[in-house]
Amino acid sequence: YDQNTVVNIPSSQGGTEIVFVNVPNIGLIEDINIKVDITHSNIGNLVLYLAGPNDEFYQNFYSLGCDGETTLNTTFDQEGESLTVNCGDLEGKNIEPITTNFEDYYGTSAQGQWQLVVQNYYGGGVGTINSFGIEFCTETNVLSTEIYNFQANQVYMYPNPSQGIVSFKSTN
């Protein structure tokens, strides 16, 4: 799921820009990777945050690294390489997020609005967010076709009427 509209990063100290990606109901997250293509006169001035649909706070995944470099065109992947080893060669690399553990998203729904926040922490310099994308590996639960016999009193189905998705509740 990608957002490919070029967005300017504010040059003011602490200036932020937010880019949104909406994800449909594709299942539960088994793996997540964040793709960014950012150019800036010094990417070492930038802090990147991610906010999933259920996050109460922004999750910092890149912070003031690779001082003096001008391009951050990479994928942040929990299984990626260390950023400190790759500062001179970030093009197309899979880099481990610095402080956020993407595994915290595993088992949660991918559905909803995801946000990339880019902050020009020190200010100065100019740059753009050229693209932002999220790659998901998901698990979809499939209903079984097996027949189960069970006894229950007071079984409730809701909502009624439904639009194809229903829930059941039993007091037993």
Side-chain angles (χ1 to χ4, degrees):
Y1 300 90
D2 297 305
Q3 200 284 5
N4 293 309
T5 302
V6 176
V7 178
N8 290 325
I9 300 168
S11 62
S12 59
Q13 182 177 5
T16 59
E17 187 61 49
I18 302 174
V19 180
F20 301 93
V21 170
N22 288 304
V23 176
N25 186 6
I26 58 172
L28 300 179
I29 298 170
E30 290 185 339
D31 190 29
I32 179 174
N33 298 326
I34 306 301
K35 302 181 299 180
V36 296
D37 179 2
I38 296 174
T39 52
H40 192 272
S41 52
N42 183 2
I43 64 169
N45 286 353
L46 303 180
V47 179
L48 277 58
Y49 302 93
L50 178 69
N54 298 312
D55 284 340
E56 293 183 30
F57 305 100
Y58 292 122
Q59 309 299 319
N60 176 295
F61 67 94
Y62 174 84
S63 186
L64 310 172
C66 299
D67 194 45
E69 297 293 325
T70 59
T71 302
L72 184 61
N73 185 2
T74 192
T75 299
F76 288 89
D77 180 345
Q78 195 63 45
E79 294 79 30
E81 301 174 37
S82 168
L83 178 67
T84 55
V85 173
N86 292 287
C87 270
D89 183 23
L90 293 172
E91 185 78 27
K93 297 278 186 168
N94 283 7
I95 303 297
E96 182 180 27
I98 292 178
T99 56
T100 297
N101 186 348
F102 288 168
E103 291 177 359
D104 292 344
Y105 291 108
Y106 297 0
T108 65
S109 174
Q111 181 178 10
Q113 186 177 72
W114 292 77
Q115 301 173 46
L116 168 70
V117 178
V118 178
Q119 180 184 40
N120 195 350
Y121 188 80
Y122 292 118
V126 293
T128 57
I129 304 166
N130 302 310
S131 66
F132 160 56
I134 307 176
E135 299 172 335
F136 295 101
C137 290
T138 58
E139 173 184 315
T140 304
N141 293 328
V142 179
L143 292 176
S144 171
T145 57
E146 296 180 36
I147 298 174
Y148 294 96
N149 292 318
F150 65 94
Q151 292 182 347
N153 295 324
Q154 299 180 344
V155 175
Y156 302 95
M157 179 185 82
Y158 57 94
N160 191 7
S162 78
Q163 294 182 359
I165 298 175
V166 296
S167 298
F168 290 93
K169 180 179 180 182
S170 172
T171 57
N172 297 32

